[in-house]
Amino acid sequence: MLLIPGSASSRLSLTILLIATLAACAGGPGGEVKPEAADTSTLRATGLVRSGFACCNLRYSGDQLSDANYAQLPFIPLGTPVTIRAIDGARAIVEIDGKQLSLRPDPAQTRETATQWLERTVLPDDPRRKLGSFPAGVRSAIQSARLVKGMTREQVIMAIGYPHLDDKKGLDAPSWRYWWSSFESFYVHWSRDKLSKIAGHTETVNKLTYK
């Protein structure tokens, strides 16, 4: 059919062509995880979003990263290379040591998105360089994902991850709340920005304390 420029048929054909082109760019069917467009200004999504290093000891269960970092779970050591493969809404796919893990923050527990969680937990620089500059006791405590009095806020984060922040003071709060499991929490108390006390069930505190 002959298309006359400016005609209704011409405009319709151009519209169909544009829709087909956009669909081809978006990828075909099959359930492939697509990077989230609205929430990836820093995490540029191109199939391989970016690579970095675990900021701290990250907890996981099976093929799921624990956004709450439940302390009873096994952990991935800080400094481990992490590749963020894709972000799709509330879910992210990462690769660690050749294994794919999924991250899906629980909206009942946090307002943080998968992108925001990854922004602070996947660092561009290897934190093991800084770890090597700490005193031997602090270094060993962090490597075992445990705590010792006198640790700084940064060192506690490296050891057991970021706390559950539920107040306006954020990381400057006088105490931080963590979770041993989904039903048991514990607290880290600060004095002049040094760890002064771990509060919780005695058995849990003993397991978390480096000796």
Side-chain angles (χ1 to χ4, degrees), residues 39 43 111-121:
D39 199 18
L43 300 177
R111 296 179 181 177
E112 204 168 40
T113 65
T115 299
Q116 291 170 331
W117 193 89
L118 290 169
E119 281 283 9
R120 61 190 177 98
T121 55

Side-chain angles (χ1 to χ4, degrees), residues 26 28 30-36 47 85-89 91-93 100:
E32 180 182 358
V33 176
K34 300 294 192 302
E36 181 186 24
R85 289 295 182 189
I87 300 174
D88 179 22
R91 183 179 66 150
I93 302 296
Q100 285 202 347

Side-chain angles (χ1 to χ4, degrees), residues 8-119:
S9 296
S10 176
R11 289 194 297 272
L12 177 60
S13 296
L14 288 174
T15 300
I16 294 172
L17 178 61
L18 178 59
I19 292 172
T21 302
L22 291 175
C25 292
E32 180 182 358
V33 176
K34 300 294 192 302
E36 181 186 24
D39 199 18
T40 52
S41 58
T42 302
L43 300 177
R44 300 296 181 185
T46 57
L48 171 67
V49 182
R50 73 173 171 90
S51 296
F53 302 89
C55 72
C56 36
N57 296 318
L58 302 179
R59 303 287 178 166
Y60 70 98
S61 177
D63 62 353
Q64 300 288 320
L65 279 173
S66 170
D67 63 292
N69 244 28
Y70 293 138
Q72 70 169 359
L73 295 175
F75 66 91
I76 297 163
L78 87 161
T80 300
V82 178
T83 299
I84 305 169
R85 289 295 182 189
I87 300 174
D88 179 22
R91 183 179 66 150
I93 302 296
V94 303
E95 184 176 315
I96 302 176
D97 286 338
K99 179 180 180 180
Q100 285 202 347
L101 299 174
S102 177
L103 169 69
R104 191 187 296 270
D106 183 355
Q109 297 290 335
T110 180
R111 296 179 181 177
E112 204 168 40
T113 65
T115 299
Q116 291 170 331
W117 193 89
L118 290 169
E119 281 283 9

